[in-house]
Amino acid sequence: MKIRTLILNTFKEAVRGKIFLIILGFSIVLLVGSKVLVPLSLGEERRIIMNIGLGSISMFGILLAILIGSQLVYNELERKTIYFVLSKPVKRQTFIFGKFLGLLLTLLVVILILSCWFYFVLFWLTRLHPSVLLVAIFFSFLEIMIITGFSIFFSTFTSPTLSSIFTLFFFIIGRLAPDIQLLASKIKEPVSHFLLQIVYYIIPNLSNFNIRGKVVYAEPVGLNHILYSVSYALIYTIILLVLSCEIFRRKDL
Amino acid sequence: MGSESPDFGPIFYLSNDMHALEIVSLSKAYLSGFLKKVQALQEISLTIEEDEIFGFLGPNGAGKTTTLKIVTGLLKPTYGDVKILGAPLSQVNIRKQIGFLPEHPSYYNHLTGFEILDFAGGLCCIPGFERKKRIERLFDRVRLKEVRNVRVSEYSKGMIQRLGIAQALINNPELVILDEPLSGLDPIGRKELKDIIISLKDEGKTVFFSTHILADVEMICNRVGILHKGRLLKVGKLNDFLSDTKRNVIITFEFTGRVKPTLIQNVNPTAEGYLNVTIEKEKQNTIVKSLQNEGASIISIVPETITLEDFFVAEIKKDEN
């Protein structure tokens, strides 16, 4: 019951916040913008709309995860609402997991709304509604889940601005993970090679979750890839949450 | 992962020597900057019995809030032990028996008063139906029924404080801990809150509250503790403290000539045009006789009334010296 209470409160807080409405409105406008680009697409309208739609769902999900996530724990400390919550019979790890799941629920709802709107725009302009796009959206959600984990993790010990910057850094470097691996393989100098390998294994390999190109070009996505990506996202997120709980547990409030 | 124990449901601690709150050798040190260590609490030991109102007094920065935060699990002590109703603080479930009102409470601005209490009840695992009944009763008790569906961002300071009391009572706690509950309230708000605190005692609850407004303590507390610079200077019954100090008398007299300076000093004029002097009770007869010999007429002789404020200031000064 406690965690459900925390989840619902986090969800309400995000939904009633202006940031949510601004980004939701903006993303809807962007999807509508694909109608404007169709006349310039020279017969590729289907792929253009799919790319814009899937890309914007992913980007706005990531943006929301960073903006809301980086403030979640910090704001509780800053506004002192944490005293009200943690003086009740609530463990600190329950609080962190509740906050995380509440934000994840928010993002899930946002993605569902954006996806419905995306399918509507796609059907309206091309008369197509391929279900394979849902797999790409699901993969975006897994990526967003990891980024939410990062933003909550940084939020336990730093300000929202720094937390946003650090999370954004991990997002960018995570998307570049294959390039880092490639660079490591090309460098012969042992220390640099070793360090790059370490970086590669520590950072999240977010390229696993980018299958937008595949689904737009109707290439198949293997079951192994799906299972591997789901496991990877879950394990990585759980590690981030456990670290967050440990930092938060030691914190004097 | 944590040191907190698992949630095993209701707790019952039965013991003859059980106290509502037991603090043993509690110390807390902070790091201020990189190297400087600040000792916020030094070896505090305190026992609060069930069914009493205990006032925790001290000037700003004495360590009152630090103590209350440790008791509610928000801060970890550097050293020492805290037991609530016989249970160690590490038992998260023991907080079901605590209601806490923080200093300058702040609640989620996106929620209404009703939603705040519903949220608090949810965190205490109170089932939905029972929760709603309690919320209605509490809104009646703290007189916020009219604004129950208004967002707390629109509440006044007094309303926020009353909502704070309501959320602290949602779980029907045995021990109610209030951090500066009366500060910043207007006289009516203070009276209402004091009445609520007194009614809690009537219901058999223990109240542990911190304040630096001494007039309020005199009216509602059974016992007090005085904290200064992280050290507990005195703990005891208010009457005992004040009766100990009632050793002086104030003699008011009328005198047209000069009072011999060698006989008595510190003579003060009164608003009525008399003179008065405060002396030790043992010297009363000698001084009265001397005054009468000098031609003074005695108007009154009354024992000096020591207020808690006088006592408090004297204790703090004694400690500083």
Side-chain angles (χ1 to χ4, degrees), chain B residues 162-301:
Chain B
R162 279 184 277 152
L163 182 70
I165 289 278
Q167 67 77 21
L169 299 179
I170 189 81
N171 47 332
N172 193 22
E174 289 292 318
L175 173 63
V176 183
I177 300 171
L178 312 168
D179 194 1
E180 301 281 1
L182 304 161
S183 69
L185 294 180
D186 61 27
I188 296 170
R190 275 162 63 173
K191 167 82 174 68
E192 285 174 349
L193 218 57
K194 274 188 277 186
D195 289 345
I196 291 175
I197 293 173
I198 292 166
S199 70
L200 292 175
K201 184 184 181 304
D202 296 339
E203 288 166 23
K205 298 187 191 308
T206 308
V207 181
F208 178 31
F209 85 99
S210 77
T211 185
H212 57 260
I213 303 171
L214 303 174
D216 300 322
V217 177
E218 280 183 295
M219 293 169 75
I220 56 179
C221 287
N222 306 84
R223 285 200 309 143
V224 295
I226 297 179
L227 194 69
H228 185 229
K229 292 183 177 170
R231 284 177 298 116
L232 198 57
L233 303 183
K234 284 259 181 189
V235 182
K237 287 188 176 165
L238 210 52
N239 287 342
D240 293 347
F241 287 157
L242 302 184
S243 60
D244 276 357
T245 56
K246 284 179 185 167
R247 291 197 189 128
N248 292 342
V249 288
I250 302 169
I251 303 174
T252 305
F253 57 94
E254 191 175 19
F255 190 68
T256 47
R258 278 174 60 87
V259 178
K260 283 183 183 172
T262 49
L263 185 63
I264 45 172
Q265 292 173 342
N266 300 326
V267 175
N268 301 308
T270 67
E272 296 83 18
Y274 303 130
L275 295 168
N276 73 17
V277 65
T278 306
I279 55 158
E280 286 173 25
K281 198 169 182 179
E282 292 76 33
K283 294 179 184 170
Q284 180 186 326
N285 292 341
T286 320
I287 300 286
V288 167
K289 267 184 191 165
S290 303
L291 284 170
Q292 283 170 336
N293 289 342
E294 294 292 327
S297 341
I298 305 297
I299 306 296
S300 66
I301 302 170

Side-chain angles (χ1 to χ4, degrees), chain A:
Chain A
M1 183 188 275
K2 292 173 197 172
I3 198 153
R4 195 183 67 193
T5 306
L6 287 164
I7 291 169
L8 289 179
N9 184 49
T10 309
F11 179 71
K12 269 186 201 168
E13 188 174 7
V15 170
R16 292 180 185 179
K18 284 174 187 154
I19 195 169
F20 176 82
L21 293 172
I22 291 166
I23 295 178
L24 190 64
F26 190 59
S27 56
I28 289 170
V29 168
L30 199 81
L31 280 175
V32 174
S34 52
K35 171 134 178 74
V36 179
L37 286 173
V38 165
L40 310 172
S41 59
L42 301 171
E44 288 288 319
E45 52 271 272
R46 190 180 67 89
R47 282 176 191 154
I48 291 276
I49 295 166
M50 283 182 186
N51 269 321
I52 290 175
L54 293 175
S56 60
I57 286 171
S58 167
M59 276 301 114
F60 285 113
I62 295 285
L63 205 62
L64 264 183
I66 294 175
L67 289 178
I68 302 179
S70 61
Q71 297 180 40
L72 268 189
V73 178
Y74 184 85
N75 279 354
E76 295 266 358
L77 294 167
E78 195 65 13
R79 293 178 192 157
K80 298 179 178 172
T81 42
I82 194 94
Y83 299 155
F84 159 53
V85 179
L86 290 185
S87 60
K88 303 286 178 219
V90 176
K91 289 181 195 165
R92 293 194 181 190
Q93 49 265 50
T94 310
F95 175 78
I96 291 289
F97 273 87
K99 282 274 160 193
F100 169 77
L101 292 173
L103 178 52
L104 208 60
L105 175 68
T106 310
L107 294 169
L108 182 67
V109 171
V110 172
I111 287 170
L112 284 176
I113 294 169
L114 292 184
S115 302
C116 289
W117 184 243
F118 167 53
Y119 266 91
F120 170 75
V121 172
L122 187 68
F123 185 74
W124 176 40
L125 296 175
T126 66
R127 300 288 147 191
L128 291 170
H129 50 91
S131 56
V132 69
L133 297 182
L134 289 174
V135 182
I137 293 170
F138 174 66
F139 268 58
S140 287
F141 180 70
L142 293 177
E143 183 183 40
I144 288 165
M145 183 167 78
I146 294 178
I147 295 303
T148 306
F150 268 107
S151 62
I152 296 250
F153 170 71
F154 288 121
S155 173
T156 56
F157 62 89
T158 186
S159 69
T161 312
L162 284 178
S163 176
S164 301
I165 292 169
F166 293 154
T167 309
L168 196 63
F169 170 78
F170 272 91
F171 167 66
I172 293 167
I173 205 167
R175 284 255 173 129
L176 297 174
D179 298 317
I180 290 170
Q181 193 188 28
L182 187 67
L183 189 64
S185 67
K186 299 232 166 168
I187 288 180
K188 301 288 177 232
E189 200 270 309
V191 176
S192 306
H193 174 81
F194 176 72
L195 288 176
L196 277 172
Q197 284 287 350
I198 296 258
V199 169
Y200 173 72
Y201 284 113
I202 288 175
I203 61 166
N205 188 349
L206 299 180
S207 67
N208 283 334
F209 306 103
N210 186 1
I211 56 162
R212 289 187 288 278
K214 274 188 174 178
V215 297
V216 167
Y217 287 95
E219 288 175 31
V221 182
L223 184 64
N224 281 348
H225 185 184
I226 294 175
L227 289 176
Y228 170 77
S229 301
V230 169
S231 313
Y232 183 89
L234 282 174
I235 291 169
Y236 206 99
T237 309
I238 288 170
I239 290 171
L240 284 171
L241 289 177
V242 168
L243 289 174
S244 307
C245 290
E246 200 48 30
I247 291 169
F248 196 60
R249 192 178 66 78
R250 291 161 187 267
K251 211 176 177 76
D252 270 345
L253 303 173

Side-chain angles (χ1 to χ4, degrees), chain B residues 26 28 30 39-42 44 56-70 75 179 210 227-231:
Chain B
L26 194 67
K28 177 70 187 174
Y30 290 108
Q39 195 72 34
L41 291 178
Q42 299 176 45
I44 287 189
F56 205 37
L57 315 179
N60 291 334
K64 303 185 296 289
T65 298
T66 303
T67 310
L68 298 194
K69 278 186 178 175
I70 291 174
L75 281 181
D179 194 1
S210 77
L227 194 69
H228 185 229
K229 292 183 177 170
R231 284 177 298 116

